[in-house]
């Protein structure tokens, strides 16, 4: 082991670990979604309103899944660049906005109301 390896971690290894971690976090959020869905139950107006409020949880999970995919894509970079085609594997417009110029992305980044991506809460 070289001196550098004793004090540093390669970007590739770190990003691969981040990708795995984001995937694990997304799975945990999915389990929480299922548990909350089981507790809400029924198709009452109150149940519907709770589900609408909990869609933020679905957005969080899908964002974590996208960050897992993106981190994995970054590990396959070429000379410090990542292929823009990686964005096609992302689900949310807010995640895809990371590939756009800051001016183009400014209106998309954290606006969850207009995020496309399939709603799969409960």
């Amino acid at each position: 082991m070289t001196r550098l390896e004793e004090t540093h971690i390669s970007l590739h290894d770190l990003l691969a670990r981040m990708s795995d971690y984001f995937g694990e976090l997304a799975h945990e959020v999915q389990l929480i979604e299922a548990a909350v869905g089981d507790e809400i139950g029924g198709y009452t107006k109150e149940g519907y309103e709770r589900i609408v409020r909990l869609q933020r949880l679905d957005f969080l999970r899908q964002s974590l899944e996208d960050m897992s995919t993106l981190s994995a894509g970054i590990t396959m970079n070429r000379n410090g660049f990542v292929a823009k085609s990686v964005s096609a594997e992302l689900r949310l417009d807010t995640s895809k906005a990371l590939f756009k110029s800051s001016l183009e992305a400014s209106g998309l980044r954290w606006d969850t109301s207009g995020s496309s991506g399939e709603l799969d809460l409960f």
Side-chain angles (χ1 to χ4, degrees):
M1 183 178 286
T2 68
R3 181 126 172 100
L4 184 63
E5 291 171 325
E6 291 175 6
T7 60
H8 292 75
I9 184 172
S10 76
L11 184 57
H12 178 273
D13 289 348
L14 179 60
L15 287 169
R17 291 175 190 173
M18 286 173 56
S19 176
D20 290 344
Y21 183 59
F22 282 132
E24 290 172 16
L25 290 173
H27 179 71
E28 288 298 317
V29 171
Q30 188 175 30
L31 294 175
I32 293 168
E33 285 177 334
V36 170
D38 290 344
E39 290 299 316
I40 288 177
Y43 293 98
T44 65
K45 181 181 178 190
E46 289 174 348
Y48 175 78
E49 289 171 356
R50 288 183 196 140
I51 289 173
V52 169
R53 288 193 309 267
L54 290 169
Q55 286 176 346
R56 301 280 302 159
L57 189 59
D58 185 60
F59 172 78
L60 174 63
R61 181 183 52 78
Q62 289 185 46
S63 295
L64 287 167
E65 289 171 349
D66 280 355
M67 293 304 99
S68 177
T69 300
L70 181 57
S71 297
I74 291 171
T75 64
M76 301 194 185
N77 75 77
R78 306 278 291 164
N79 301 320
F81 289 88
V82 177
K84 289 185 177 181
S85 60
V86 171
S87 70
E89 299 175 41
L90 305 177
R91 295 177 71 178
L92 300 174
D93 285 343
T94 51
S95 299
K96 291 175 184 180
L98 296 171
F99 283 86
K100 297 181 180 191
S101 71
S102 59
L103 184 60
E104 290 177 295
S106 63
L108 287 175
R109 266 192 139 159
W110 305 114
D111 178 14
T112 60
S113 62
S115 293
S116 71
E118 296 175 22
L119 178 65
D120 34 285
L121 182 64
F122 315 113

